[in-house]
């Protein structure tokens, strides 16, 4: 009787040890599967974040290429410089639009536009004023220009449109005044997107434009 009890006790202990080993092995497998799943989740997040950063960097590079003056290469400065440049362009558009509006309003009030054009040509001739283009290189790819053209209806507008078609833009402050039957225009100019303009070629191009309009 005692012998049978001892055998059963040994068998129970063996089963307990076996179950304990299986439980430990199962826990290790569960932990391994959890760690693997966590690692996959982290890897997926890292890949998503990497793609997001690459996309953001590419867009910043594109933005930097569109802004002619970048004071620093960090992300915050690129955005700030772009905002400043956009505001400056908006001010320039508003200023030129106002000038065009005033010129067109003045032209519409003229009762005899053809006679006035004849008078402006005579006035220029009387005071020895001729159409001309003066130009000087300031710094980098910026050119200072002074243009005198006969004051004809819509001519300033045609000049701006022709310059735009040839990839030339006026920057900073543009002053337009009338003197003795002529427009006097002073400004700074450069190629579109900051493209470098050769002084001689730019002057010849502007001369050709003025003769054509």
């Amino acid at each position: 009787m005692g012998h049978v009890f001892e055998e059963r006790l040994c068998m129970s202990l063996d089963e307990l040890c076996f179950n304990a080993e299986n439980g430990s092995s199962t826990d290790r497998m569960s932990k391994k599967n959890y760690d693997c799943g966590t690692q996959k989740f982290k890897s997926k997040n890292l890949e998503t974040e990497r793609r997001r950063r690459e996309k953001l960097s590419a867009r910043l590079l594109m933005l930097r290429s569109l802004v002619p003056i970048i004071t620093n290469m960090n992300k915050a400065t690129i955005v700030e410089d772009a905002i400043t440049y956009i505001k400056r362009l908006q001010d320039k558009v508003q200023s030129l639009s106002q000038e065009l509006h005033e010129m067109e309003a003045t032209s519409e009030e003229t009762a005899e536009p053809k006679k006035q054009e004849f008078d402006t040509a005579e006035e220029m001739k009387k005071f020895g004023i001729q159409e001309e283009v003066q130009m000087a290189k300031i710094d980098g790819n910026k050119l200072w220009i002074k243009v005198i053209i006969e004051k004809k209806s819509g001519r300033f507008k045609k000049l701006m449109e022709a310059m735009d078609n040839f990839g030339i833009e006026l920057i900073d402050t543009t002053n337009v005044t009338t003197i003795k039957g002529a427009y006097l225009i002073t400004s700074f100019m450069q190629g579109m997107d900051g493209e470098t303009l050769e002084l001689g070629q730019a002057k010849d191009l502007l001369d050709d434009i003025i003769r054509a309009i």
Side-chain angles (χ1 to χ4, degrees):
M1 181 74 177
H3 181 69
V4 171
F5 177 76
E6 289 177 357
E7 287 182 352
R8 289 180 177 177
L9 181 60
C10 289
M11 289 178 64
S12 297
L13 290 172
D14 289 343
E15 290 175 356
L16 181 61
C17 291
F18 177 77
N19 290 335
E21 289 177 357
N22 281 348
S24 177
S25 176
T26 301
D27 289 343
R28 286 196 298 271
M29 289 181 65
S30 298
K31 183 178 180 181
K32 184 177 180 182
N33 290 336
Y34 174 78
D35 291 341
C36 183
T38 302
Q39 185 65 32
K40 288 181 179 178
F41 180 74
K42 288 181 178 179
S43 298
K44 185 176 180 181
N45 281 351
L46 288 174
E47 178 64 21
T48 301
E49 179 64 16
R50 184 184 66 80
R51 288 198 299 267
R52 188 188 71 81
R53 289 177 178 273
E54 288 178 352
K55 190 174 183 180
L56 179 60
S57 296
R59 289 180 175 178
L60 282 171
L61 287 173
M62 182 180 296
L63 180 62
R64 186 183 68 184
S65 68
L66 296 175
V67 179
I69 301 175
I70 295 293
T71 57
N72 203 311
M73 298 305 293
N74 61 62
K75 296 177 181 178
T77 305
I78 291 174
V79 173
E80 289 175 1
D81 289 340
I83 292 172
T84 301
Y85 181 62
I86 290 171
K87 288 182 178 178
R88 192 175 72 180
L89 289 178
Q90 289 174 336
D91 291 340
K92 175 185 170 184
V93 169
Q94 184 176 0
S95 175
L96 290 176
S97 297
Q98 182 64 27
E99 290 174 5
L100 286 173
H101 177 73
E102 291 175 357
M103 291 177 183
E104 293 300 330
T106 302
S107 298
E108 290 174 1
E109 292 172 358
T110 304
E112 300 176 352
K114 290 185 178 180
K115 183 177 184 301
Q116 183 189 31
E117 289 175 7
F118 176 78
D119 290 342
T120 58
E122 286 296 313
E123 191 174 5
M124 287 179 64
K125 184 177 180 181
K126 177 181 177 181
F127 289 94
I129 299 174
Q130 296 181 346
E131 292 190 332
E132 65 172 337
V133 175
Q134 294 182 21
M135 195 173 294
K137 196 172 186 66
I138 302 300
D139 61 345
N141 58 353
K142 184 187 293 185
L143 300 176
W144 172 84
I145 63 168
K146 174 184 175 183
V147 178
I148 297 177
I149 58 174
E150 185 181 341
K151 185 182 176 182
K152 291 182 180 180
S153 176
R155 200 170 186 210
F156 178 78
K157 182 179 179 180
K158 291 178 181 178
L159 175 62
M160 295 298 100
E161 291 174 348
M163 290 176 66
D164 184 70
N165 291 335
F166 281 98
I168 300 173
E169 62 176 346
L170 298 182
I171 58 177
D172 298 333
T173 304
T174 300
N175 295 316
V176 182
T177 57
T178 56
I179 54 166
K180 311 301 181 182
Y183 285 131
L184 171 60
I185 306 165
T186 57
S187 184
F188 297 91
M189 71 180 216
Q190 67 179 16
M192 291 292 187
D193 301 326
E195 182 183 351
T196 301
L197 296 173
E198 295 296 332
L199 182 62
Q201 293 178 350
K203 186 177 183 305
D204 291 340
L205 177 59
L206 206 52
D207 284 331
D208 291 338
I209 291 174
I210 290 172
R211 282 193 294 267
I213 59 176

